[in-house]
Amino acid sequence: MKKRTKRCIAVAAGTTAAIATVNMVRNTWENLAEIAMDRNLSESNEQTVLSAGRPVSDKGQERENRKIAAADQLSKEECTTVTIHSYDGICLTGHLYCVENPQRTIIAVHGWRSSWGKDFGIIADFLCANDCNVLYVEQRAHGASEGNHIGFGLLERYDILEWIDWINAQEFSSCPVYLFGMSMGAATVLMTAGEELSNHIHGVIADSGYTSPHDEWKYIAESNLHYSYKLMEKYMDKAAMERIGYLPGEYSSTVAMQECKTPVLFIHGTDDHFVPVEMTYENYKACAAPKRLLIVPGAGHCLSYLVDQEKYEGELLRFWQDFDCTDAEYKIL
């Protein structure tokens, strides 16, 4: 075979391989973008969400079952369902549980592709027993709330500002208000804390929050799915701009914490393979406000309460005791 012919064959083979690589990256990007941000998933990607990550241990499955049972129980409790409209016009739904003599109000914000009952059902009795009114919000593109795309906190922080305004207009608005988020909900309330908040907001509780959507997507792609995020980063940036109007690294919990003036309690488990504990350390280090840190050895993602309930509840009670004060006292702290 002539050298020229061999060279043409080699070039053709290289071109075919390059095209195949580009197509593979594009398909991977399209799947990950859909999984990350689209409310409605194809059947194959729905299965990917359900099976993603590491195998669940028997103990992990038991804890997951407890959360599901608690969510079912919470759904049966008497509450008031409320709706508001977001800054961009979509209808958002929340569920308000009131106690007889409230000492504080909690705005509870669930995580990515989760629900208010699943993330907070397990701690609902404790909140009620300690005189907390609780507004469980349904994040945009989840449950009964409208919206086609999940913003990973970049959009949702503005939704929480609308919920704060709604709380401030209620008859119990004189109570101190706390933002309490799990996972993406934690990142959402941390990003919200970078905005100018009313004096009614006395604290933020962030359980298993990430630094930024970019950092979280990179971690999942490389650590759990074993893809090179560098190959697909520009595609994910493009997908995010098309869907939510933000680049995934355009804003972050870490940047918000540098501007934060509201006390923050950070919580994370050391065995979290969905949002690594190092991200909470970064957020904690960046926080300019009074701050507390609870690290729970052996706890997986959003499972710290189930692993060490006594310590978790103790930290919450101390946090409230220190910051359930009047605005004048609060500013001294």
PDB file of all heavy atoms in Angstrom, residues 178-200:
ATOM      1  N   TYR A 178     -35.897  32.105  60.630  1.00  0.00           N
ATOM      2  CA  TYR A 178     -34.679  31.396  60.241  1.00  0.00           C
ATOM      3  C   TYR A 178     -34.893  30.724  58.894  1.00  0.00           C
ATOM      4  O   TYR A 178     -35.972  30.182  58.626  1.00  0.00           O
ATOM      5  CB  TYR A 178     -34.316  30.324  61.274  1.00  0.00           C
ATOM      6  CG  TYR A 178     -33.876  30.881  62.607  1.00  0.00           C
ATOM      7  CD1 TYR A 178     -34.817  31.232  63.565  1.00  0.00           C
ATOM      8  CD2 TYR A 178     -32.525  31.070  62.898  1.00  0.00           C
ATOM      9  CE1 TYR A 178     -34.425  31.760  64.795  1.00  0.00           C
ATOM     10  CE2 TYR A 178     -32.127  31.595  64.116  1.00  0.00           C
ATOM     11  CZ  TYR A 178     -33.074  31.936  65.059  1.00  0.00           C
ATOM     12  OH  TYR A 178     -32.683  32.463  66.269  1.00  0.00           O
ATOM     13  N   LEU A 179     -33.876  30.756  58.063  1.00  0.00           N
ATOM     14  CA  LEU A 179     -33.874  30.012  56.806  1.00  0.00           C
ATOM     15  C   LEU A 179     -33.158  28.690  57.048  1.00  0.00           C
ATOM     16  O   LEU A 179     -32.038  28.672  57.569  1.00  0.00           O
ATOM     17  CB  LEU A 179     -33.150  30.802  55.711  1.00  0.00           C
ATOM     18  CG  LEU A 179     -33.584  32.259  55.503  1.00  0.00           C
ATOM     19  CD1 LEU A 179     -32.778  32.880  54.363  1.00  0.00           C
ATOM     20  CD2 LEU A 179     -35.075  32.355  55.225  1.00  0.00           C
ATOM     21  N   PHE A 180     -33.785  27.570  56.670  1.00  0.00           N
ATOM     22  CA  PHE A 180     -33.250  26.239  56.953  1.00  0.00           C
ATOM     23  C   PHE A 180     -33.279  25.447  55.651  1.00  0.00           C
ATOM     24  O   PHE A 180     -34.355  25.152  55.120  1.00  0.00           O
ATOM     25  CB  PHE A 180     -34.120  25.572  58.021  1.00  0.00           C
ATOM     26  CG  PHE A 180     -33.591  24.276  58.602  1.00  0.00           C
ATOM     27  CD1 PHE A 180     -34.235  23.696  59.681  1.00  0.00           C
ATOM     28  CD2 PHE A 180     -32.479  23.633  58.083  1.00  0.00           C
ATOM     29  CE1 PHE A 180     -33.777  22.513  60.247  1.00  0.00           C
ATOM     30  CE2 PHE A 180     -32.006  22.457  58.629  1.00  0.00           C
ATOM     31  CZ  PHE A 180     -32.661  21.880  59.714  1.00  0.00           C
ATOM     32  N   GLY A 181     -32.110  25.103  55.116  1.00  0.00           N
ATOM     33  CA  GLY A 181     -32.058  24.408  53.837  1.00  0.00           C
ATOM     34  C   GLY A 181     -31.285  23.118  53.891  1.00  0.00           C
ATOM     35  O   GLY A 181     -30.335  22.962  54.664  1.00  0.00           O
ATOM     36  N   MET A 182     -31.699  22.172  53.048  1.00  0.00           N
ATOM     37  CA  MET A 182     -31.028  20.887  52.896  1.00  0.00           C
ATOM     38  C   MET A 182     -30.465  20.777  51.477  1.00  0.00           C
ATOM     39  O   MET A 182     -31.185  21.003  50.503  1.00  0.00           O
ATOM     40  CB  MET A 182     -32.009  19.726  53.120  1.00  0.00           C
ATOM     41  CG  MET A 182     -32.587  19.645  54.510  1.00  0.00           C
ATOM     42  SD  MET A 182     -31.435  18.821  55.627  1.00  0.00           S
ATOM     43  CE  MET A 182     -32.477  18.672  57.097  1.00  0.00           C
ATOM     44  N   SER A 183     -29.187  20.426  51.339  1.00  0.00           N
ATOM     45  CA  SER A 183     -28.566  20.166  50.045  1.00  0.00           C
ATOM     46  C   SER A 183     -28.690  21.384  49.128  1.00  0.00           C
ATOM     47  O   SER A 183     -28.187  22.455  49.460  1.00  0.00           O
ATOM     48  CB  SER A 183     -29.181  18.912  49.422  1.00  0.00           C
ATOM     49  OG  SER A 183     -28.463  18.506  48.292  1.00  0.00           O
ATOM     50  N   MET A 184     -29.372  21.257  47.979  1.00  0.00           N
ATOM     51  CA  MET A 184     -29.572  22.430  47.135  1.00  0.00           C
ATOM     52  C   MET A 184     -30.343  23.503  47.880  1.00  0.00           C
ATOM     53  O   MET A 184     -30.139  24.708  47.651  1.00  0.00           O
ATOM     54  CB  MET A 184     -30.317  22.041  45.847  1.00  0.00           C
ATOM     55  CG  MET A 184     -30.387  23.162  44.822  1.00  0.00           C
ATOM     56  SD  MET A 184     -31.421  22.787  43.397  1.00  0.00           S
ATOM     57  CE  MET A 184     -33.038  23.257  44.031  1.00  0.00           C
ATOM     58  N   GLY A 185     -31.220  23.087  48.802  1.00  0.00           N
ATOM     59  CA  GLY A 185     -31.914  24.056  49.644  1.00  0.00           C
ATOM     60  C   GLY A 185     -30.954  24.808  50.540  1.00  0.00           C
ATOM     61  O   GLY A 185     -31.141  25.998  50.820  1.00  0.00           O
ATOM     62  N   ALA A 186     -29.898  24.108  51.006  1.00  0.00           N
ATOM     63  CA  ALA A 186     -28.877  24.773  51.824  1.00  0.00           C
ATOM     64  C   ALA A 186     -28.116  25.797  50.999  1.00  0.00           C
ATOM     65  O   ALA A 186     -27.878  26.926  51.455  1.00  0.00           O
ATOM     66  CB  ALA A 186     -27.919  23.737  52.408  1.00  0.00           C
ATOM     67  N   ALA A 187     -27.733  25.421  49.775  1.00  0.00           N
ATOM     68  CA  ALA A 187     -27.057  26.384  48.900  1.00  0.00           C
ATOM     69  C   ALA A 187     -27.977  27.556  48.590  1.00  0.00           C
ATOM     70  O   ALA A 187     -27.537  28.714  48.529  1.00  0.00           O
ATOM     71  CB  ALA A 187     -26.616  25.690  47.612  1.00  0.00           C
ATOM     72  N   THR A 188     -29.263  27.273  48.426  1.00  0.00           N
ATOM     73  CA  THR A 188     -30.236  28.337  48.150  1.00  0.00           C
ATOM     74  C   THR A 188     -30.291  29.349  49.289  1.00  0.00           C
ATOM     75  O   THR A 188     -30.242  30.568  49.060  1.00  0.00           O
ATOM     76  CB  THR A 188     -31.637  27.731  47.922  1.00  0.00           C
ATOM     77  OG1 THR A 188     -31.610  26.902  46.753  1.00  0.00           O
ATOM     78  CG2 THR A 188     -32.673  28.826  47.734  1.00  0.00           C
ATOM     79  N   VAL A 189     -30.401  28.873  50.529  1.00  0.00           N
ATOM     80  CA  VAL A 189     -30.510  29.829  51.644  1.00  0.00           C
ATOM     81  C   VAL A 189     -29.183  30.539  51.890  1.00  0.00           C
ATOM     82  O   VAL A 189     -29.167  31.697  52.319  1.00  0.00           O
ATOM     83  CB  VAL A 189     -31.047  29.156  52.925  1.00  0.00           C
ATOM     84  CG1 VAL A 189     -32.452  28.614  52.692  1.00  0.00           C
ATOM     85  CG2 VAL A 189     -30.128  28.064  53.443  1.00  0.00           C
ATOM     86  N   LEU A 190     -28.065  29.869  51.613  1.00  0.00           N
ATOM     87  CA  LEU A 190     -26.768  30.547  51.742  1.00  0.00           C
ATOM     88  C   LEU A 190     -26.648  31.662  50.709  1.00  0.00           C
ATOM     89  O   LEU A 190     -26.181  32.762  51.022  1.00  0.00           O
ATOM     90  CB  LEU A 190     -25.631  29.545  51.582  1.00  0.00           C
ATOM     91  CG  LEU A 190     -25.437  28.543  52.721  1.00  0.00           C
ATOM     92  CD1 LEU A 190     -24.363  27.512  52.361  1.00  0.00           C
ATOM     93  CD2 LEU A 190     -25.085  29.238  54.034  1.00  0.00           C
ATOM     94  N   MET A 191     -27.062  31.388  49.460  1.00  0.00           N
ATOM     95  CA  MET A 191     -27.024  32.435  48.437  1.00  0.00           C
ATOM     96  C   MET A 191     -27.987  33.562  48.784  1.00  0.00           C
ATOM     97  O   MET A 191     -27.678  34.742  48.548  1.00  0.00           O
ATOM     98  CB  MET A 191     -27.352  31.842  47.066  1.00  0.00           C
ATOM     99  CG  MET A 191     -26.274  30.911  46.521  1.00  0.00           C
ATOM    100  SD  MET A 191     -26.681  30.348  44.839  1.00  0.00           S
ATOM    101  CE  MET A 191     -25.541  28.974  44.668  1.00  0.00           C
ATOM    102  N   THR A 192     -29.135  33.215  49.351  1.00  0.00           N
ATOM    103  CA  THR A 192     -30.092  34.236  49.780  1.00  0.00           C
ATOM    104  C   THR A 192     -29.474  35.149  50.828  1.00  0.00           C
ATOM    105  O   THR A 192     -29.712  36.369  50.845  1.00  0.00           O
ATOM    106  CB  THR A 192     -31.365  33.589  50.354  1.00  0.00           C
ATOM    107  OG1 THR A 192     -31.913  32.682  49.400  1.00  0.00           O
ATOM    108  CG2 THR A 192     -32.404  34.642  50.705  1.00  0.00           C
ATOM    109  N   ALA A 193     -28.651  34.575  51.703  1.00  0.00           N
ATOM    110  CA  ALA A 193     -28.030  35.348  52.782  1.00  0.00           C
ATOM    111  C   ALA A 193     -27.008  36.352  52.273  1.00  0.00           C
ATOM    112  O   ALA A 193     -26.565  37.218  53.029  1.00  0.00           O
ATOM    113  CB  ALA A 193     -27.380  34.404  53.786  1.00  0.00           C
ATOM    114  N   GLY A 194     -26.645  36.261  51.009  1.00  0.00           N
ATOM    115  CA  GLY A 194     -25.772  37.267  50.416  1.00  0.00           C
ATOM    116  C   GLY A 194     -26.512  38.514  49.988  1.00  0.00           C
ATOM    117  O   GLY A 194     -25.895  39.522  49.644  1.00  0.00           O
ATOM    118  N   GLU A 195     -27.846  38.451  50.026  1.00  0.00           N
ATOM    119  CA  GLU A 195     -28.685  39.608  49.683  1.00  0.00           C
ATOM    120  C   GLU A 195     -28.953  40.432  50.945  1.00  0.00           C
ATOM    121  O   GLU A 195     -28.666  40.014  52.063  1.00  0.00           O
ATOM    122  CB  GLU A 195     -30.008  39.127  49.082  1.00  0.00           C
ATOM    123  CG  GLU A 195     -29.869  38.184  47.896  1.00  0.00           C
ATOM    124  CD  GLU A 195     -29.276  38.846  46.671  1.00  0.00           C
ATOM    125  OE1 GLU A 195     -29.529  40.057  46.476  1.00  0.00           O
ATOM    126  OE2 GLU A 195     -28.559  38.166  45.912  1.00  0.00           O
ATOM    127  N   GLU A 196     -29.541  41.611  50.760  1.00  0.00           N
ATOM    128  CA  GLU A 196     -29.946  42.428  51.896  1.00  0.00           C
ATOM    129  C   GLU A 196     -31.204  41.832  52.503  1.00  0.00           C
ATOM    130  O   GLU A 196     -32.245  41.780  51.848  1.00  0.00           O
ATOM    131  CB  GLU A 196     -30.198  43.868  51.451  1.00  0.00           C
ATOM    132  CG  GLU A 196     -28.927  44.648  51.142  1.00  0.00           C
ATOM    133  CD  GLU A 196     -28.084  44.908  52.387  1.00  0.00           C
ATOM    134  OE1 GLU A 196     -28.671  45.030  53.489  1.00  0.00           O
ATOM    135  OE2 GLU A 196     -26.864  44.972  52.252  1.00  0.00           O
ATOM    136  N   LEU A 197     -31.125  41.369  53.737  1.00  0.00           N
ATOM    137  CA  LEU A 197     -32.254  40.723  54.389  1.00  0.00           C
ATOM    138  C   LEU A 197     -32.846  41.639  55.455  1.00  0.00           C
ATOM    139  O   LEU A 197     -32.146  42.462  56.044  1.00  0.00           O
ATOM    140  CB  LEU A 197     -31.817  39.406  55.031  1.00  0.00           C
ATOM    141  CG  LEU A 197     -31.216  38.355  54.083  1.00  0.00           C
ATOM    142  CD1 LEU A 197     -30.844  37.106  54.870  1.00  0.00           C
ATOM    143  CD2 LEU A 197     -32.187  38.014  52.967  1.00  0.00           C
ATOM    144  N   SER A 198     -34.146  41.448  55.723  1.00  0.00           N
ATOM    145  CA  SER A 198     -34.810  42.241  56.751  1.00  0.00           C
ATOM    146  C   SER A 198     -34.307  41.839  58.129  1.00  0.00           C
ATOM    147  O   SER A 198     -33.723  40.762  58.322  1.00  0.00           O
ATOM    148  CB  SER A 198     -36.329  42.033  56.675  1.00  0.00           C
ATOM    149  OG  SER A 198     -36.670  40.723  57.099  1.00  0.00           O
ATOM    150  N   ASN A 199     -34.554  42.689  59.123  1.00  0.00           N
ATOM    151  CA  ASN A 199     -34.120  42.409  60.489  1.00  0.00           C
ATOM    152  C   ASN A 199     -34.833  41.218  61.107  1.00  0.00           C
ATOM    153  O   ASN A 199     -34.414  40.711  62.149  1.00  0.00           O
ATOM    154  CB  ASN A 199     -34.327  43.647  61.372  1.00  0.00           C
ATOM    155  CG  ASN A 199     -33.315  44.735  61.077  1.00  0.00           C
ATOM    156  OD1 ASN A 199     -32.237  44.463  60.561  1.00  0.00           O
ATOM    157  ND2 ASN A 199     -33.674  45.969  61.376  1.00  0.00           N
ATOM    158  N   HIS A 200     -35.925  40.775  60.463  1.00  0.00           N
ATOM    159  CA  HIS A 200     -36.637  39.612  60.988  1.00  0.00           C
ATOM    160  C   HIS A 200     -35.832  38.319  60.805  1.00  0.00           C
ATOM    161  O   HIS A 200     -36.098  37.330  61.481  1.00  0.00           O
ATOM    162  CB  HIS A 200     -37.997  39.453  60.285  1.00  0.00           C
ATOM    163  CG  HIS A 200     -38.980  40.510  60.665  1.00  0.00           C
ATOM    164  ND1 HIS A 200     -39.306  41.553  59.831  1.00  0.00           N
ATOM    165  CD2 HIS A 200     -39.712  40.685  61.788  1.00  0.00           C
ATOM    166  CE1 HIS A 200     -40.199  42.328  60.421  1.00  0.00           C
ATOM    167  NE2 HIS A 200     -40.462  41.827  61.614  1.00  0.00           N
TER     168      HIS A 200
END
